[in-house]
Amino acid sequence: MRRLDLWRSTPFRLALSFAFLVVLVFLLSGLIVYQLMRADLSARLDAAAHEAFSVISATYAGGDLEDLVAAVDSHSRLVPGKEQLFSLTGAKGEHLAGNLTVSDVPAGFSIIDDRTTGVPEGSSYRAYSGKVGDNSLTVALGVSRTEALEGIMLKGFGWATVIISCLAVAAGALLALRLQRRLDAIAHTMGEVSQGRLAARIPLIGNGDDIDGVSAQVNAALDRLSALVDGMRQVSSDIAHDLKTPLNRLQMTLEAADEKAAAGKDVSGEIVEALAESGQINETFEALLRIAQIEAGARKARFADLSLDSVMDTIAEIYADVAEDNGMTLSVRKTLQGPGGLVHGDSELLTQLFANLVENSLRHCPRGTQIELAVRRDGDLVVATVADNGPGIPKDEHDKVFQRLYRLDKSRSTSGSGLGLSLVRAIADLHSAVIRLEDRAPGLAVNVDFPAADGGR
């Protein structure tokens, strides 16, 4: 990745922000720890000074000034160098003992440095001063060791900050680079798709994280898109193939009519035939348009709770006489009591669905066929069935018959566009229903499983 692209990368900027936050938290935590340790060291130094003052002043318990002077001189000699300073002054301010000649140190704790008489140059001390009888005793402990410890802490903290910063930036950049590669893979795949290569898919790592989840959803959407495009191509091919024959017949009919008209003969028969052919072509396009509208979900706004029993009764009333005229019987089998057959849907479309199924049986079954309509309850489903004892459909053709313009070889001699069952499938999908074809040997049963409107209650 180029440097400019890296700075524009959202993962890298997020990683830098996270690294900055880590360093900031570390700095704040370190500052708090430093202040606590500094306060503890100061408290320990104060305690040591006060303890030394108490030990020395205890020698004056009997009012013996010589013992007090001896104790101060003894402590002054025992301490090497100038790490500790002691001063004993009398009531008039005269120096009595110790390695520090100072008389103006305030009572209690204070800081004295080389500006105070007797303090070595460049040194600082934590002093405790108080009265011992009429005398003043001062005990001063050097802060050089405490300052050295503080310096070590600051130096260690500084190096730790540098190391933490480098590690945070490096880890953030590594994570950002890994994430950016996955985003680049997504962008590359979408670029491939935009160029028409619909087989391209986003590679999945398989760890189940958010990016994998989104990538899987995008891949599923691409699968659907690819299937839709393939379907469109297939439909276009089918339309071109299936409409070629009627268009050729229409052309031949019109040419024959033209020749008869030129010869002064009657062309009414050819006109009637041409009108029939054009009507069939028009019906095919209207059916395709209707399927497309249904698949787009345009009719869902008209959905309402309705009874499939009443829909079946309407179908039976419409087609009973038609079946009788074709030498067949059409009956309805009642299996539900009360409102058990309620579904959520469009009454007109559901009527169209079952009308197409019944017409399919009427068109392709011989005389004497029995057609039965039924509605039953199966748990959370309402199952509607259109069954007959006709020739049926070969099992290997069950899925194909729902394709647009697909027709069985034995049915090509009968009228129809090959879109009736495609419309059935589109309406079923719109209602979230599942179609199952069942071989009755002989005959065929078409089961349509609808979600019950009452949710199984």
Side-chain angles (χ1 to χ4, degrees):
M1 182 182 293
R2 294 176 301 176
R3 182 178 300 176
L4 182 60
D5 292 338
L6 184 64
W7 281 108
R8 288 179 178 177
S9 166
T10 298
F12 183 73
R13 285 184 288 179
L14 288 176
L16 284 183
S17 300
F18 177 74
F20 174 77
L21 182 62
V22 170
V23 173
L24 180 61
V25 171
F26 180 77
L27 286 173
L28 292 176
S29 302
L31 179 62
I32 294 173
V33 171
Y34 172 75
Q35 292 296 337
L36 290 175
M37 293 186 68
R38 184 179 182 186
D40 182 68
L41 290 174
S42 296
R44 289 174 182 268
L45 193 64
D46 289 348
H50 189 270
E51 182 180 1
F53 179 89
S54 299
V55 170
I56 294 174
S57 61
T59 61
Y60 190 67
D64 190 347
L65 181 60
E66 290 183 3
D67 288 344
L68 179 60
V69 170
V72 171
D73 286 337
S74 175
H75 277 79
S76 299
R77 289 192 300 271
L78 290 176
V79 178
K82 294 292 185 178
E83 285 297 323
Q84 297 182 9
L85 300 178
F86 300 92
S87 175
L88 179 64
T89 58
K92 296 180 180 180
E94 69 277 16
H95 179 72
L96 298 179
N99 55 359
L100 175 65
T101 57
V102 62
S103 59
D104 57 350
V105 178
F109 289 104
S110 61
I111 294 290
I112 59 174
D113 52 24
D114 55 4
R115 291 174 295 180
T116 302
T117 304
V119 176
E121 184 178 356
S123 301
S124 295
Y125 292 84
R126 183 68 169 168
Y128 181 79
S129 182
K131 287 289 187 179
V132 181
D134 293 333
N135 308 296
S136 296
L137 175 62
T138 299
V139 177
L141 304 182
V143 298
S144 58
R145 292 185 178 179
T146 302
E147 291 176 345
L149 288 175
E150 292 177 357
I152 292 173
M153 284 193 304
L154 283 176
K155 187 176 181 180
F157 182 66
W159 278 108
T161 301
V162 172
I163 294 173
I164 289 293
S165 301
C166 293
L167 288 177
V169 172
L174 184 63
L175 291 175
L177 183 61
R178 183 181 179 187
L179 180 58
Q180 187 62 46
R181 285 175 178 170
R182 298 178 69 183
L183 294 178
D184 289 343
I186 295 176
H188 176 73
T189 300
M190 301 314 295
E192 291 284 304
V193 172
S194 67
Q195 297 297 322
R197 291 181 280 275
L198 299 181
R201 295 295 181 268
I202 301 172
L204 303 180
I205 293 181
N207 57 6
D209 62 3
D210 293 343
I211 296 181
D212 253 15
V214 172
S215 299
Q217 293 178 358
V218 172
N219 285 344
L222 291 176
D223 288 339
R224 291 192 293 271
L225 176 62
S226 179
L228 287 174
V229 172
D230 289 342
M232 291 174 60
R233 290 172 179 167
Q234 184 62 40
V235 168
S236 300
S237 175
D238 291 342
I239 290 176
H241 181 271
D242 282 60
L243 291 184
K244 183 177 181 180
T245 299
L247 286 174
N248 284 338
R249 286 200 301 263
L250 179 60
Q251 182 180 0
M252 291 171 62
T253 301
L254 292 175
E255 289 176 350
D258 183 56
E259 291 176 359
K260 283 189 175 182
K265 297 180 180 180
D266 181 27
V267 295
S268 57
E270 282 74 12
I271 292 177
V272 171
E273 185 178 346
L275 288 173
E277 287 290 351
S278 63
Q280 182 64 36
I281 295 171
N282 189 52
E283 287 179 6
T284 299
F285 280 108
E286 286 182 351
L288 287 170
L289 179 60
R290 186 172 177 80
I291 291 172
Q293 291 174 338
I294 292 172
E295 289 178 340
R299 297 288 293 269
K300 275 206 167 184
R302 300 174 55 179
F303 274 27
D305 290 349
L306 55 92
S307 171
L308 281 185
D309 275 331
S310 63
V311 174
M312 289 300 197
D313 289 339
T314 301
I315 295 296
E317 183 179 348
I318 294 173
Y319 288 98
D321 292 340
V322 179
E324 185 177 350
D325 291 343
N326 285 272
M328 306 179 190
T329 59
L330 177 62
S331 61
V332 179
R333 180 161 52 91
K334 299 283 189 178
T335 59
L336 293 176
Q337 300 293 329
L342 287 179
V343 299
H344 193 65
D346 185 310
S347 177
E348 180 183 339
L349 290 179
L350 292 177
T351 300
Q352 178 74 65
L353 184 153
F354 294 111
N356 281 18
L357 292 177
V358 171
E359 287 180 0
N360 207 56
S361 295
L362 292 174
R363 183 178 295 114
H364 300 293
C365 292
R367 299 177 67 86
T369 298
Q370 296 176 354
I371 303 172
E372 182 182 76
L373 311 180
V375 179
R376 61 183 174 85
R377 190 62 180 265
D378 185 7
D380 294 343
L381 300 175
V382 178
V383 182
T385 302
V386 177
D388 62 56
N389 59 350
I393 297 176
K395 195 172 185 61
D396 58 351
E397 302 274 2
H398 281 188
D399 291 332
K400 298 178 182 179
V401 294
F402 293 102
Q403 298 175 6
R404 290 180 178 88
L405 303 171
Y406 183 83
R407 305 186 70 186
L408 298 175
D409 291 337
K410 62 184 179 181
S411 65
R412 290 191 176 275
S413 59
T414 61
S415 61
S417 62
L419 292 171
L421 292 181
S422 298
L423 184 59
V424 168
R425 169 63 64 82
I427 296 174
D429 289 344
L430 183 68
H431 289 78
S432 301
V434 177
I435 301 177
R436 296 179 291 108
L437 299 187
E438 180 183 341
D439 190 0
R440 298 185 69 191
L444 180 74
V446 182
N447 301 299
V448 188
D449 301 337
F450 292 89
D454 57 7
R457 295 190 299 272

